[in-house]
Amino acid sequence: QVELVESGGGAVQTGTSLRLSCAASGFTFRSYQMHWVRQAPGKGLEWLAVIWYDGSNSHYGDSVKGRFTISRDNSRNTLYLQMNNLRGEDTAVYYCARGPLRWYFDLWGRGTLVTVSS
Amino acid sequence: QSALTQPASVSGSPGQSITISCSGTSSDIGGSNYVSWYQQYPGKAPKLMIYDVSYRPSGVSDRFSASKSGNTASLTISALQAEDEADYYCSSYRSISTLVLFGGGTKLTVL
């Protein structure tokens, strides 16, 4: 079945690092752009990053540029988000989302919660 | 970067129609055909309802329609049903800085 499953979330301290994973199944992963989107508790959606289908290019939102890195392993059908120097405002549910070669998200994972505290 | 502007809440009775607006700038909504809309139930992942301004994915009810005029996009839900009660988010590609913006979300209440 077509799905995305995030993992790697948890409770961490300010200033530390965390790597999220997103396992894709049921579709040709290497054919799609992939994105990370987050949602702070009780707040709206915030786009974080995109990576091209072949990993050749990536772009980031201003709030995470320089701290977060998106990557992918097409041989493992897996998307990653390396998050460094975490702050309290990074506390959120993190979703991976599939993007056809146009700027929308047609498949979402269930999300993984990241809680950052001091 | 500022989010796209949506009303915080809208409401309607079953059978009625409602419209949710989403305002941006010429750098995002006004200059892009990549406007999309998402439905989200509490504790669940968002679901794509509209893409490329006005196209519905397979499986989405034709009660959902959308359009764009200038820097403002709109989502209309006709013949409201109880199951439509959810949060709705607009999104647009942006040609500068952060490439994708979301609206702040609109809570739809079906009275």
Side-chain angles (χ1 to χ4, degrees):
Chain A
Q1 99 213 39
V2 177
E3 67 176 353
L4 299 170
V5 179
E6 302 92 339
S7 60
V12 297
Q13 291 192 315
T14 303
T16 60
S17 300
L18 201 61
R19 188 177 83 156
L20 306 182
S21 299
C22 168
S25 59
F27 65 96
T28 306
F29 179 70
R30 64 181 181 273
S31 296
Y32 290 87
Q33 287 181 310
M34 294 297 297
H35 302 254
W36 287 99
V37 176
R38 71 182 178 187
Q39 187 170 34
K43 303 296 185 182
L45 301 170
E46 180 187 13
W47 178 81
L48 300 179
V50 61
I51 187 166
W52 261 228
Y53 67 99
D54 59 357
S56 62
N57 200 2
S58 59
H59 293 276
Y60 298 88
D62 289 343
S63 64
V64 302
K65 198 174 297 182
R67 295 191 301 127
F68 290 11
T69 302
I70 188 172
S71 61
R72 65 191 297 161
D73 184 341
N74 285 346
S75 68
R76 296 177 181 269
N77 292 339
T78 303
L79 176 73
Y80 303 100
L81 184 68
Q82 177 67 43
M83 306 185 294
N84 297 331
N85 190 21
L86 285 163
R87 308 165 179 166
E89 55 264 38
D90 295 320
T91 294
V93 174
Y94 285 73
Y95 296 100
C96 62
R98 186 177 75 175
L101 290 178
R102 307 172 83 79
W103 296 89
Y104 61 87
F105 317 106
D106 68 346
L107 179 67
W108 296 68
R110 292 185 179 182
T112 186
L113 176 62
V114 174
T115 303
V116 184
S117 62
S118 55
Chain B
Q1 68 284 1
S2 300
L4 304 174
T5 301
Q6 298 181 232
S9 63
V10 298
S11 63
S13 299
Q16 290 185 329
S17 294
I18 63 95
T19 295
I20 299 171
S21 62
C22 173
S23 296
T25 70
S26 58
S27 295
D28 37 73
I29 292 176
S32 173
N33 287 324
Y34 300 129
V35 178
S36 52
W37 290 88
Y38 303 86
Q39 176 191 64
Q40 187 181 35
Y41 294 113
K44 300 296 186 181
K47 174 188 175 183
L48 177 67
M49 304 301 285
I50 297 286
Y51 68 95
D52 292 357
V53 177
S54 61
Y55 291 87
R56 278 189 312 276
S58 174
V60 172
S61 171
D62 60 5
R63 297 186 299 106
F64 291 82
S65 62
S67 62
K68 185 187 83 165
S69 178
N71 296 339
T72 300
S74 299
L75 173 71
T76 297
I77 308 174
S78 60
L80 271 178
Q81 299 179 0
E83 67 198 48
D84 299 331
E85 187 164 292
D87 293 325
Y88 291 85
Y89 293 90
C90 61
S91 176
S92 174
Y93 172 76
R94 190 166 182 253
S95 60
I96 58 174
S97 189
T98 294
L99 295 184
V100 178
L101 285 182
F102 282 98
T106 298
K107 181 176 180 57
L108 169 62
T109 300
V110 179
L111 302 171

